Every structure is written in structure tokens, then in C-alpha cells.
Amino acid sequence: MYDPGAAADGTAARVALWRALHVEIDAAPHVLEDTLGLRLLAPQAGWRRQGDMHPLRTRRSRASVVARARFVEDEVTEAQNRRGVVQYVILGAGLDTFAQRKPDMASRLRVFELDRPQHQAWKRRRLIEEGLGIPSWLHFVPVDFDAGDSWREGLAAAGFDGGRPAVIASTGVSMYLTREAIAATLAEAASLAQGTTLIMSFMLPPALAAPSERAGLRQAEKGARARGTPFVSLLAPAQALALATEAGFKKARCVGPQELYQRYFADRTDDLRPSSAEELLVASN
């Protein structure tokens, strides 16, 4: 029901639809305005009635998805304006629509989207079909992570300048990777030019989440296994920081749900707030 073309990744589709639901059913002001993913997916009319789109049961996950995306884009803005960073790399880009939603800003960057070849081919086709096009500063970098492709090699082939810093974003991905794969990704990012910043989301073990969310998280783990995409790595904040330090980053901190709440949700009256089960690692070299 998410994907009539059977080519968009199911997890990426779910994230895109949650972003659209935030605009459709949550009160303004919206943390992130993004309905383009919904437009690309063009799902069947009944998609809002699916269990994983339930307005109340998914509100904390929905809030986390829009908060982490907003945080990343705010960091990209700051890096561009204050430090002159002009390269933005999105690992596991899925249905990210930064390049289409913020063309004025994105056109002053070189945006590199990395994802599996078949998913990128589908996204390319849909962007063209919807009249959105593919600008010269947006670079699709096909990488088969499961086959062990090097994303650094793919970036270099796409014109990435290894001598200049970048913002690297990886959200909604780490829980599906082994600890070794996460460490390798961090090490590759840490080896980039000085001034590079990596932002990676990670899921906490259910025991570290708020008691009210633990049952739902265990259900989410069960659902992920049933879909053939089990959660492989759940990290405590101290473990994420240790991985960043071991990878070679000089500075690292975790941004938790309370900080995101204060930044993006504190003035709301509907008690929308991010899940306690996800945090962001922000590391720089």
C-alpha cells in the first residue's frame, strides 16, 4: 500500500508518510513541512488507516522523525553559514526531500544522496514524473551497503571533494547495522577533512526508554523482525559516544529527546514530543 511501484524501501516509505502525517494531523507550527515524500509514493487511498499510521499510537515516533530531520537541516544551515561547509552527504537517503524543499539553500551546496541502486532508480523516475527534476548540484550515489560497497569510493566517483569538510547524516539506519558496520561508517566519516560533522540517530534498548514506551518498542522490534529487517544494534548513549571516540572523532555528544523537545516542541499545547527511545550522536573531527 505504501509503494505501488514496489521499488521504494518500506522503512523509508513509512518515514516519509509519518512526515506527511505531521503536516496533516498535528497542529501548527510544524517542526518540518514535508509532504513531497507522500507525493512521490502516491499510495493507495487507505494508507492512513494502516496500523503503523495510527494518529495516537505513532505520535512519539512521528515526532522523533520530524525532529531529527529538522535538527540535521539546522546543523547543515549552521555549517554552511558559519563555517562555509558546502558538502552535505545523506547516508541511506531514502525519500529525503531536502533538495526539493529547500532549493535556495541546497543550490549553494553539493548534496550527495547515498542509497541502494534500485531505490535510487525508482526515486529518480518519480522525481522526473512529478516534474521536480534532478538539479546539477544533487548527486545520486548508488551504494549496495549489504554487498560491502565502500560509500567513500562512491562519493569520490560522484565528485565529492575529500579535501573539504562536510556534514554527514545517517538517520533511521544504525539499528539495522551490526556494531562493526557502525564503527566502520564512523571511522570513514572521521577520516574526512577537518571540520566534518557526522549526525547519526540511534535507538536505545527498551530498558532505557520511558516505561510507558517499552511495550510499544518491543512490539516495534517484533514487527521489524517479521518484515525481515530486524533491529541489530541498539545502543546506550555511552556506547555511541565510545564508538565515535574510537573512530577518531575529537568531539562527540548525544542529543536526547529532552533537548529536541526544548528546541522544537516546548511551546506547543498538544504535548507532542519525541520518543524517549531514540537519540542523536553529533561528532566532529
Side-chain angles (χ1 to χ4, degrees):
M1 187 167 291
Y2 295 143
D3 170 31
D9 176 74
T11 300
R14 186 176 303 105
V15 167
L17 295 181
W18 278 344
R19 287 162 70 146
L21 273 182
H22 175 59
V23 176
E24 289 190 358
I25 67 176
D26 293 325
H30 299 117
V31 177
L32 189 81
E33 295 272 355
D34 182 12
T35 58
L36 282 181
L38 170 62
R39 178 175 164 186
L40 294 178
L41 285 165
Q44 298 174 18
W47 67 270
R48 294 172 184 81
R49 295 193 295 272
Q50 294 189 186
D52 58 359
M53 293 293 128
H54 191 281
L56 294 179
R57 289 198 297 267
T58 65
R59 71 195 312 260
R60 302 281 305 260
S61 296
R62 187 169 70 243
S64 288
V65 160
V66 296
R68 74 192 188 197
R70 171 69 178 274
F71 182 89
V72 169
E73 293 182 8
D74 285 351
E75 289 293 304
V76 172
T77 301
E78 183 176 2
Q80 182 187 52
N81 293 339
R82 294 192 178 184
R83 306 197 308 275
V85 174
V86 296
Q87 299 187 114
Y88 176 29
V89 178
I90 311 172
L91 303 178
L95 286 161
D96 189 275
T97 58
F98 167 79
Q100 290 77 40
R101 287 182 293 105
K102 297 190 173 182
D104 290 345
M105 177 182 170
S107 62
R108 293 181 282 119
L109 296 165
R110 303 189 71 201
V111 181
F112 298 86
E113 293 193 10
L114 282 70
D115 211 337
R116 293 184 176 91
Q118 66 272 28
H119 298 153
Q120 286 199 331
W122 179 88
K123 186 175 181 180
R124 278 176 171 272
R125 177 172 61 81
R126 291 294 296 132
L127 286 170
I128 293 170
E129 288 174 349
E130 290 298 312
L132 297 168
I134 302 169
S136 60
W137 37 262
L138 174 58
H139 307 273
F140 286 98
V141 184
V143 177
D144 190 340
F145 297 99
D146 293 335
D149 289 357
S150 169
W151 60 270
R152 283 285 303 277
E153 291 180 4
L155 272 180
F160 180 84
D161 186 348
R164 305 183 71 176
V167 174
I168 314 290
S170 174
T171 59
V173 176
S174 67
M175 71 281 279
Y176 302 112
L177 304 177
T178 64
R179 192 78 59 92
E180 293 75 19
I182 295 171
T185 295
L186 291 174
E188 287 199 277
S191 69
L192 293 172
Q194 186 174 357
T196 291
T197 298
L198 176 131
I199 306 163
M200 180 188 81
S201 69
F202 62 94
M203 283 189 67
L204 278 62
L208 297 183
S212 61
E213 290 192 74
R214 291 174 189 171
L217 292 171
R218 293 189 180 97
Q219 188 63 33
E221 284 190 89
K222 182 179 179 181
R225 285 196 302 272
R227 292 189 297 269
T229 55
F231 296 161
V232 178
S233 295
L234 304 179
L235 302 172
Q239 292 173 318
L241 291 172
L243 284 170
T245 300
E246 292 164 5
F249 283 107
K250 297 175 182 176
K251 297 179 181 179
R253 70 184 184 99
C254 288
V255 177
Q258 186 57 32
E259 182 174 342
L260 293 174
Y261 174 81
Q262 291 299 328
R263 286 184 66 157
Y264 304 123
F265 301 88
D267 294 332
R268 300 182 66 88
T269 59
D270 58 1
D271 196 37
L272 186 68
R273 61 181 59 227
S275 169
S276 64
E278 183 177 78
E279 296 202 9
L280 295 169
L281 171 68
V282 182
S284 56
N285 61 8

